[in-house]
Amino acid sequence: MSRKRTAILISGRGTNMGALISAAMAPSYPAEISLVLSNRPDAKGLERAAEFNIPTAIVDHKDFSGDREAFERQVNAVLKMHNIELVALAGFMRILTPFLVDAWTNRMINIHPALLPSFKGLATHERAIDEGVKLHGATVHYVSSEMDDGPIIIQGAVPVLDADTPDTLAARVLGVEHKIYPKALELVASGKAKVTGARVTSGESADDTAALVWP
Ligand code: GAR
C-alpha cells in the first residue's frame, strides 16, 4: 500500500495537527504526514512538527500585500515541491480563493469546530451557547469554494452543559476533533470516502449506532 503524501496547513498551536501526526505513526495508516506548512512564522505547531522531524514550511501571507491568489500560488508551489497528494487544513485561518480550492478538489479537507451547516465562521462556541443548542460538535469536510462548506466526511457531537462557557465548550469539542480528524483522513487517504454531490459515503459506520440524546 502506498501511503498518501499529506500536508497539514496550520496557523496556530496545532493540536489537530498533533492528532494527525500521532495517527500517521501507525505503519498501516494510509496517509503519511510529509509537510506542515504555516502562514504564520510564529505558529506554535511548527515547533511541534519539527520535534517529530516533519519538514516544515512558512508562506507568510503578509509578504503578498493582500494578494490572496499570489499567496496561494506560493503555497501551491511548495505543496508541489513536496509531491503532496492530500491537504488537511487544521486551524488554517485564511479564506481560500477558487485558485487553491479548484487545484485540490476532493483532495483538500478541513476541520470546523461546529456541526455544519450550523455556525460557519468564527466564535462558534460562543454562538452555540447564545443560541441555546443542546448538542454542538465538530465537522470534517472536503473544502469547496464557499467557506466552511463542502461534502461532510464525519461529524462528532458533544453535549452543551448549563454551566458551559465558550472555553469549557471549546475544550470538549476539541476532544472530539482529535478523534474525528484522524478517522476522516484515514477514510480519504484509503480511498474509502466517495463523494456524490453533497454526500460522502464510506461504507463505514460507528461501532455504537445508539442515538446521542442530550440531556
Ligand atoms: C480548531 O478548533 C479547529 O477546528 C479550528 O481552529 C482550531 C485550531 O486548533 N478551525 C477553524 O475554526 C477553521 N474554521 P489547533 O491549532 O489546536 O488544531
Side-chain angles (χ1 to χ4, degrees):
M1 175 199 69
S2 79
R3 309 174 79 206
K4 288 270 186 300
R5 290 182 60 79
T6 302
I8 304 176
L9 271 52
I10 61 168
S11 299
R13 63 192 169 171
T15 66
N16 277 291
M17 173 205 76
L20 295 178
I21 291 172
S22 297
M25 281 176 174
S28 61
Y29 195 76
E32 66 173 302
I33 308 307
S34 307
L35 176 70
V36 169
L37 183 150
S38 173
N39 65 307
R40 296 183 56 121
D42 59 352
K44 279 272 169 282
L46 287 171
E47 292 162 28
R48 301 185 64 175
E51 286 165 14
F52 287 102
N53 292 318
I54 292 170
T56 59
I58 297 164
V59 181
D60 189 343
H61 63 278
K62 291 190 183 134
D63 292 342
F64 297 86
S65 17
D67 185 341
R68 284 183 188 273
E69 194 172 314
F71 162 72
E72 291 179 4
R73 283 188 188 282
Q74 183 57 28
V75 170
N76 208 36
V78 176
L79 296 175
K80 288 264 169 324
M81 207 157 44
H82 288 262
N83 297 315
I84 295 303
E85 300 169 280
L86 286 178
V87 177
L89 309 180
F92 186 65
M93 304 310 268
R94 302 303 297 164
I95 291 173
L96 300 181
T97 79
F99 169 75
L100 204 62
V101 173
D102 292 347
W104 290 91
T105 305
N106 289 348
R107 296 183 303 150
M108 180 184 278
I109 62 178
N110 178 49
I111 189 156
H112 181 73
L115 292 171
L116 291 173
S118 291
F119 308 121
K120 297 178 179 185
L122 299 174
T124 55
H125 310 304
E126 194 174 348
R127 287 156 56 210
I129 291 171
D130 287 351
E131 294 285 352
V133 300
K134 298 294 182 201
L135 291 170
H136 185 46
T139 303
V140 182
H141 62 98
Y142 287 98
V143 174
S144 75
S145 51
E146 271 183 64
M147 189 188 64
D148 299 329
D149 200 279
I152 290 172
I153 302 160
I154 190 167
Q155 293 187 301
V158 299
V160 180
L161 306 184
D162 293 346
D164 266 330
T165 65
D167 284 349
T168 60
L169 184 54
R172 192 172 311 117
V173 171
L174 194 63
V176 91
E177 291 186 44
H178 296 165
K179 287 191 188 135
I180 64 173
Y181 212 175
K183 182 71 191 166
L185 179 58
E186 183 184 339
L187 292 175
V188 171
S190 65
K192 284 183 189 161
K194 307 252 184 284
V195 186
T196 313
R199 289 177 65 87
V200 180
T201 52
S202 62
E204 298 240 334
S205 56
D207 299 338
D208 179 0
T209 50
L212 172 55
V213 177
W214 192 270

